[in-house]
Amino acid sequence: MCAWALVTARRSIVSMVDVMDPSTRGAHDAYHRLVRAGSSSLTACFFALAKLVVALVPDPSRVTLYLDDTLFHRNGPKVEGAGSWRDALRSTRKRVVFARGLNLVVLTVGLQLRLPGMTISIPVNLRLHRKDGPTMLALAAEMSTELAGWFSSTRFVLCGDGAYVTLASNHLERTEVVSHMRRDAALYEAPPSRTKCAPGQRRAYASTQRCSSLRPLQAARRWRSTGGATR
């Protein structure tokens, strides 16, 4: 894994073996056999990485997480899960650009560096979003629940954009969701719990009566503008 991260050339087995420590690397054909016939677990890899990253947080009892989806430009007939997705970097308000690749939902841990104002995010979990698979919200909730199971005594602050604001209603374990929404958003109470014998489709809202809007809250508080965003 270290050789994969350090190699500057094409990430082939030969290139990775070249940057390994000569005193610790094994036989050349052993790495070819490992990739060809070995077994791996991405969950175990992220679990080991998450333990190392959380240990670097100044207060391990409260960890800040960042959540977003990204398009990994990799396509081809043998790339499983590839599809056509909206490219957020090249799209504008008037023009939407689509590109083919892997749509990844990534969960990261924010680390504050010693330099003031310098924050980096290290991925600790990842899910592949497919056209016919679970939604990005379901994948995000699954990753958050998995991370909470890894650290039973840690509380999390999950930050995401408006696409993940409804995670606040999922009651994630020991997780506080921070996001943004429109001030004229239609808010409703959560629907009642569905019993096993209840027929028909589950209701989306508790009732047709909307909750109060965010406009009175906006008028009652003092907001300040920071970099074009109102807080």
Side-chain angles (χ1 to χ4, degrees), residues 73-149:
H73 294 273
R74 188 172 182 85
N75 56 15
K78 296 184 179 180
V79 179
E80 183 182 359
S84 181
W85 308 92
R86 177 181 176 270
D87 193 337
L89 295 179
R90 295 189 294 171
S91 298
T92 61
R93 292 184 178 180
K94 298 182 179 180
R95 180 170 177 265
V96 179
V97 178
F98 291 89
R100 186 170 177 81
L102 301 175
N103 192 19
L104 304 176
V105 184
V106 186
L107 184 66
T108 67
V109 171
L111 292 178
Q112 183 72 34
L113 301 183
R114 294 183 179 180
L115 297 177
M118 294 292 294
T119 304
I120 62 174
S121 297
I122 300 180
V124 294
N125 216 332
L126 180 144
R127 290 291 189 276
L128 174 63
H129 177 221
R130 304 171 186 269
K131 292 285 187 179
D132 55 348
T135 63
M136 291 190 295
L137 289 171
L139 296 176
E142 180 182 340
M143 289 190 296
S144 179
T145 303
E146 188 174 65
L147 193 66

Side-chain angles (χ1 to χ4, degrees), residues 71-228:
L71 178 61
F72 182 56
H73 294 273
R74 188 172 182 85
N75 56 15
K78 296 184 179 180
V79 179
E80 183 182 359
S84 181
W85 308 92
R86 177 181 176 270
D87 193 337
L89 295 179
R90 295 189 294 171
S91 298
T92 61
R93 292 184 178 180
K94 298 182 179 180
R95 180 170 177 265
V96 179
V97 178
F98 291 89
R100 186 170 177 81
L102 301 175
N103 192 19
L104 304 176
V105 184
V106 186
L107 184 66
T108 67
V109 171
L111 292 178
Q112 183 72 34
L113 301 183
R114 294 183 179 180
L115 297 177
M118 294 292 294
T119 304
I120 62 174
S121 297
I122 300 180
V124 294
N125 216 332
L126 180 144
R127 290 291 189 276
L128 174 63
H129 177 221
R130 304 171 186 269
K131 292 285 187 179
D132 55 348
T135 63
M136 291 190 295
L137 289 171
L139 296 176
E142 180 182 340
M143 289 190 296
S144 179
T145 303
E146 188 174 65
L147 193 66
W150 292 345
F151 304 95
S152 57
S153 59
T154 303
R155 303 191 66 85
F156 300 97
V157 179
L158 181 61
C159 304
D161 56 18
Y164 300 96
V165 67
T166 54
L167 288 176
S169 62
N170 287 27
H171 305 290
L172 301 175
E173 183 180 2
R174 304 189 313 278
T175 302
E176 176 185 352
V177 179
V178 178
S179 184
H180 65 87
M181 66 174 63
R182 294 170 56 96
R183 59 181 178 179
D184 58 347
L187 303 178
Y188 297 86
E189 293 290 341
S193 301
R194 181 182 176 90
T195 59
K196 294 183 179 180
C197 59
Q201 186 178 3
R202 182 175 182 266
R203 286 192 298 175
Y205 309 110
S207 63
T208 57
Q209 185 67 28
R210 289 179 55 175
C211 301
S212 58
S213 66
L214 300 179
R215 293 182 183 274
L217 178 63
Q218 181 187 18
R221 298 193 60 179
R222 294 182 179 180
W223 303 88
R224 57 188 179 90
S225 179
T226 57

Side-chain angles (χ1 to χ4, degrees), residues 18-31:
D18 288 340
V19 300
M20 290 182 183
D21 188 356
S23 61
T24 58
R25 68 185 180 194
H28 191 279
D29 58 341
Y31 301 102

